[in-house]
Amino acid sequence: MRRRGLIPAPARRLSSSTATWILLALAVAAVCAPPPMPGAGWGFAYVGPGAGFAFMGSLLAMISAFFLTLLSLVAWPVRLVWSLVRRRQGYRKARVRKLIFLGLDGLDPVLTERFMAEGKLPNLAALRDKGSYRRLRTTFPSLSPVAWSTFATGVNPARHNIFDFLNRNLKSYLPELSSSRVSGPAKVLKLGRFRIPLSNPMVEMRRKSQTFWKILGEHGIGSTILRVPITFPPEEFNGRLLSAMCTPDLLGTQGSFTQFTTRVAEATYESGSRYPLERSGEGLRGVLRGPANSLVEGGAAMQLPFELRPRGGAYELEIDGQKHALKPDEYSPWLQLAFPAALGVKVRGIARVMITETTPEFSLYVTPINIDPENPALPISHPSYYATYLAKLLGSYATVGMAEDTWALNEGVIDEDAFLSQAYSIQEEREAMFFNALDRTKRGVVACVFDTSDRVQHMFFRHLDGRLPAGRHTAVIEQLYQRMDALVGRAMRYVDDKTAIFVLSDHGFRAFRRGVNLNAWLRDNGYLAMQPGYEGDGAYLRGIDWSRTRAYTFGLAGVYVNQKGRESNGVVERGAETAELCRELTEKLRGLCDPADGAVAIQQVYTAGKIYKGPYLNAAPDLIVGFSDGYRSSWDAALGKTSEEIFSDNTKAWSGDHCIDPVLVPGVLFSNRAVDAMDPGIEDMAPTALHLFGVAKPAWMEGTAVFGVVPEAQG
């Protein structure tokens, strides 16, 4: 008998319908589709099924919403009575009426304590003095998708199956997104070059175990969960949810910007693309690429031509039949974009644009094309109408998982001021959602994670740690913490003696000055071999000779053994041989020194079997590498490349990080109630939520409530 919480989360099918008119509409749309248009690709690894999927998702969602609305109207009186009964029963043992989780991703305890001591964070200091403050243990590794998954489920990674942003495919060795999988329809009708989907696509959540909000919902206690990482696709439960980290953009990537410029011809960036702007009289012309048209065999990217014309010191953008006034160095509002897939079939997204230079050359930046929350092509909320409700009520908003465009700043496509403007604009969108939820919630849970604190520290840490001379951006991180403190102050207005509030972060922050390519180290020390005569960048583990490779790395978490019976071309025997290899690698890597100055680059190495327990242990890195302050897996190593040099300088704007030894980067935990636990961990938040509402902790949940007497675990 499978224990509750360890049952794999099922793949979610979009709402199904077999009505004949749907298939007829699809057939007509495909037959009338325009011929493929030429277009360039974009350089990113995770491209989704494309327009056919998006169209099916939108169409079926609309049909489902219509019938669900009718059903809801009919069933409303019965549901209302049943809901009142369940709620009354659910709150009988509750110790609070309301619980607020305010997540400030990446808020560092060292900086927080320093700024509190200097009197710069009055609201957090007051919360500490009236309630409690502790440093919060993070996960191994200290990565946001791992830590927030543990926050939600109360279990270690080997029980929720999230170890990094990426997994490796054990058959192909190619990386896959760890949190979700999107696949196209299994059945397709072929009519010449047209492809008509006859079955529904799949959107699968790969995080396992159960969330505390789902468990509370089963006891009649509702929750509103906003932008908590690793919630795409959204699960069904008693409450509302808006997905966050790892929600794709309309192209199916994790965020691909576009730059148009007269400066150069077409080129590709690490996580975006560059296309030419053509001068036309006094104006300029370009073509915005959307997702591939999967209604046509080999369908190219759908396109929207646009024109820019000078208008009295500003510019007018005309795209998709709309006209928008643009001023240099100012973001446009969210633009509604409808990419034509076929006659009457459009795939909808949103983007913001900004003119970044006008003379002597002209450049236009376009954010990643987000899924339109008013017409979502993929499920991004529960209930499905919740995303639309927020957009109608508060205005359009960013939906992609990592909405702050760190790569555009890394590549120099936008500058630091443009990045900050974007980040704080997104922060304002999230704040509007958060306070709307607090206004609506008289009892139950409101949980919201703000990731601006993480993104700004990633990009501005070099201004804090002395790498750059003092300037106008020196105080950006201090100002960021003060903004977060002000947010806490606003949230405290919703707290009374029947409300518990936790302000927490998933990890802290350190400088990222030097990268370490462990594939290069493994090669130089005889553990990894390249194919004879291989030439190329070797991204995504290409060019490795697996028949002569015993260990390898990619991503940010650690080292994998090329194990026989697990990897398709494994060479290391399970059991004693794997254990001996892990012991040998641990001894050699621990204390690894940087030849540049003799500094220790790797502080500790952890064996997976000693820090994890659970059914998904086999998916974990075999060794978790605890880098020292200032070091991290290099950019090349994160992509699975084997570079020439082991050590390299980090020259990107992304200058702060937390992918190091987790003991160096704990998070923070503030509460308006006295926390009894002296060494709380992020795994303790889920059982604490259950405890506050008088719900017994399931036996599989590993964390412990941080105060009070924990109820007996139920079997």
Side-chain angles (χ1 to χ4, degrees):
M1 181 177 180
R2 292 187 293 183
R3 292 193 298 171
R4 183 183 175 197
L6 302 184
I7 302 172
R12 178 176 178 179
R13 287 187 181 272
L14 298 182
S15 304
S16 61
S17 173
T18 57
T20 304
W21 69 269
I22 297 178
L23 296 180
L24 179 61
L26 286 170
V28 171
V31 170
C32 297
M37 293 176 286
W42 38 87
F44 204 78
Y46 310 107
V47 178
F53 173 81
F55 169 60
M56 282 292 288
S58 300
L59 177 62
L60 294 178
M62 288 189 293
I63 295 168
S64 299
F66 174 75
F67 286 109
L68 285 173
T69 301
L70 290 180
L71 182 61
S72 296
L73 289 173
V74 173
W76 178 78
V78 176
R79 290 193 305 112
L80 178 61
V81 173
W82 177 242
S83 177
L84 291 173
V85 171
R86 286 190 70 203
R87 287 185 180 181
R88 183 170 297 177
Q89 293 294 320
Y91 286 88
R92 281 187 310 157
K93 298 180 180 180
R95 297 169 172 85
V96 296
R97 182 183 297 118
K98 183 167 58 181
L99 169 60
I100 301 171
F101 281 117
L102 173 49
L104 302 177
D105 197 300
L107 210 70
D108 180 70
V110 175
L111 292 176
T112 300
E113 292 160 14
R114 174 182 134 194
F115 294 144
M116 282 196 297
E118 294 172 353
K120 295 172 180 174
L121 307 179
N123 295 301
L124 285 171
L127 186 55
R128 173 199 61 191
D129 296 341
K130 294 177 182 178
S132 55
Y133 164 70
R134 297 280 191 276
R135 292 189 176 190
L136 187 67
R137 280 186 293 103
T138 186
T139 48
F140 288 73
S142 46
L143 296 174
S144 292
V146 186
W148 287 115
S149 294
T150 291
F151 161 81
T153 61
V155 299
N156 82 89
R159 288 182 181 267
H160 62 57
N161 195 41
I162 303 295
F163 298 93
D164 199 336
F165 286 93
L166 303 175
N167 285 336
R168 84 280 196 208
N169 185 297
L170 294 174
K171 292 182 179 180
S172 66
Y173 294 90
L174 290 174
E176 302 174 333
L177 197 63
S178 65
S179 59
S180 61
R181 179 187 289 123
V182 180
S183 56
K187 297 180 180 179
V188 176
L189 174 64
K190 298 181 180 181
L191 294 176
R193 63 187 180 90
F194 304 108
R195 300 293 178 263
I196 319 299
L198 298 180
S199 62
N200 296 311
M202 297 283 285
V203 188
E204 177 190 0
M205 164 64 78
R206 305 183 77 177
R207 188 202 68 224
K208 310 303 180 183
S209 195
Q210 287 194 30
T211 58
F212 70 80
W213 53 81
K214 187 173 180 65
I215 296 171
L216 288 175
E218 292 170 353
H219 290 80
I221 299 163
S223 301
T224 300
I225 309 299
L226 294 167
R227 299 292 299 186
V228 174
I230 315 304
T231 47
F232 173 82
E235 63 184 328
E236 296 182 2
F237 71 107
N238 176 17
R240 295 172 290 273
L241 182 147
L242 182 66
S243 295
M245 179 177 283
C246 295
T247 302
D249 61 18
L250 197 67
L251 304 186
T253 81
Q254 291 299 299
S256 298
F257 66 83
T258 307
Q259 182 194 39
F260 294 95
T261 182
T262 60
R263 187 174 295 278
V264 295
E266 198 170 295
T268 299
Y269 289 123
E270 182 74 28
S271 190
S273 295
R274 175 187 285 177
Y275 295 106
L277 269 178
E278 297 180 0
R279 298 191 184 274
S280 175
E282 294 185 353
L284 302 111
R285 293 179 178 176
V287 178
L288 179 64
R289 275 77 170 175
N293 189 348
S294 58
L295 294 179
V296 180
E297 183 178 12
M302 294 177 285
Q303 301 183 356
L304 285 177
F306 65 88
E307 292 189 14
L308 278 162
R309 306 180 189 91
R311 288 287 186 271
Y315 291 83
E316 180 183 78
L317 170 68
E318 183 173 355
I319 185 170
D320 197 20
Q322 308 167 67
K323 294 182 180 180
H324 308 275
L326 300 180
K327 293 182 179 179
D329 301 318
E330 290 185 13
Y331 282 101
S332 72
W334 287 107
L335 307 183
Q336 306 290 325
L337 304 171
F339 292 92
L343 183 63
V345 180
K346 293 186 176 182
V347 181
R348 300 182 184 276
I350 59 172
R352 299 178 73 194
V353 304
M354 183 174 68
I355 297 169
T356 57
E357 61 177 340
T358 59
T359 182
E361 303 293 341
F362 195 102
S363 294
L364 179 75
Y365 161 73
V366 183
T367 67
I369 304 171
N370 287 231
I371 292 170
D372 185 353
E374 293 192 48
N375 298 278
L378 288 169
I380 60 172
S381 70
H382 172 77
S384 58
Y385 58 76
Y386 185 53
T388 303
Y389 161 80
L390 290 173
K392 294 292 187 183
L393 181 69
L394 305 173
S396 206
Y397 55 86
T399 59
V400 71
M402 293 186 69
E404 302 85 357
D405 200 346
T406 57
W407 274 104
L409 178 54
N410 269 341
E411 301 282 7
V413 171
I414 59 174
D415 62 18
E416 291 173 313
D417 292 325
F419 178 83
L420 282 175
S421 174
Q422 183 188 79
Y424 286 130
S425 174
I426 293 168
Q427 171 88 6
E428 290 172 2
E429 293 173 358
R430 305 281 160 75
E431 289 184 10
M433 298 174 192
F434 178 50
F435 291 110
N436 171 259
L438 290 177
D439 285 334
R440 289 168 46 96
T441 303
K442 303 306 177 187
R443 57 182 183 176
V445 178
V446 175
C448 184
V449 173
F450 293 87
D451 42 32
T452 309
S453 43
D454 177 87
R455 308 299 188 263
V456 171
Q457 289 186 96
H458 274 305
M459 309 311 289
F460 285 84
F461 216 85
R462 67 200 189 284
H463 292 283
L464 180 74
D465 66 2
R467 269 177 279 180
L468 295 175
R472 61 192 181 89
H473 292 120
T474 300
V476 161
I477 289 180
E478 179 181 313
Q479 294 162 0
L480 165 77
Y481 276 65
Q482 291 175 310
R483 280 178 178 255
M484 298 303 106
D485 183 77
L487 172 61
V488 172
R490 288 182 63 193
M492 290 302 296
R493 300 172 193 166
Y494 293 84
V495 177
D496 55 25
D497 60 354
K498 294 294 185 181
T499 300
I501 184 171
F502 290 95
V503 178
L504 72 152
S505 64
D506 54 333
H507 53 69
F509 253 87
R510 290 291 186 273
F512 171 26
R513 297 186 180 91
R514 295 270 281 170
V516 184
N517 191 306
L518 289 178
N519 276 339
W521 183 90
L522 291 167
R523 178 201 61 210
D524 292 352
N525 287 270
Y527 298 101
L528 180 148
M530 302 301 293
Q531 296 171 6
Y534 179 81
E535 295 182 4
D537 62 11
Y540 311 123
L541 304 173
R542 287 195 295 267
I544 292 178
D545 184 346
W546 297 109
S547 67
R548 298 185 294 133
T549 291
R550 291 190 288 160
Y552 60 100
T553 187
F554 81 99
L556 299 169
V559 174
Y560 299 85
V561 171
N562 190 26
Q563 192 177 104
K564 189 177 293 186
R566 186 179 66 182
E567 277 85 348
S568 60
N569 297 303
V571 297
V572 181
E573 295 287 350
R574 291 174 179 254
E577 187 176 348
T578 292
E580 175 59 24
L581 178 58
C582 287
R583 184 197 62 77
E584 184 179 319
L585 289 171
T586 297
E587 289 183 357
K588 291 183 177 181
L589 287 172
R590 187 191 294 128
L592 180 69
C593 290
D594 184 348
D597 58 5
V600 174
I602 295 179
Q603 175 169 294
Q604 188 57 272
V605 179
Y606 304 91
T607 304
K610 293 181 179 179
I611 58 173
Y612 300 140
K613 290 184 180 178
Y616 306 107
L617 179 60
N618 207 41
D622 296 287
L623 298 173
I624 306 298
V625 178
F627 290 101
S628 302
D629 190 350
Y631 293 86
R632 199 205 75 174
S633 180
S634 71
W635 294 106
D636 279 354
L639 291 175
K641 295 182 181 180
T642 304
S643 58
E644 287 298 317
E645 301 295 329
I646 297 172
F647 289 88
S648 59
D649 288 331
N650 173 34
T651 59
K652 296 186 184 296
W654 184 296
S655 52
D657 219 301
H658 43 86
C659 306
I660 63 175
D661 191 336
V663 302
L664 299 177
V665 281
V668 300
L669 179 67
F670 291 85
S671 178
N672 65 329
R673 300 188 169 214
V675 169
D676 298 325
M678 298 308 297
D679 184 32
I682 198 166
E683 73 276 6
D684 297 329
M685 295 297 97
T688 296
L690 300 183
H691 169 74
L692 286 170
F693 288 101
V695 176
K697 183 184 77 168
W700 48 262
M701 192 174 278
E702 297 167 319
T704 304
V706 298
F707 44 64
V709 178
V710 181
E712 288 293 324
Q714 66 183 18

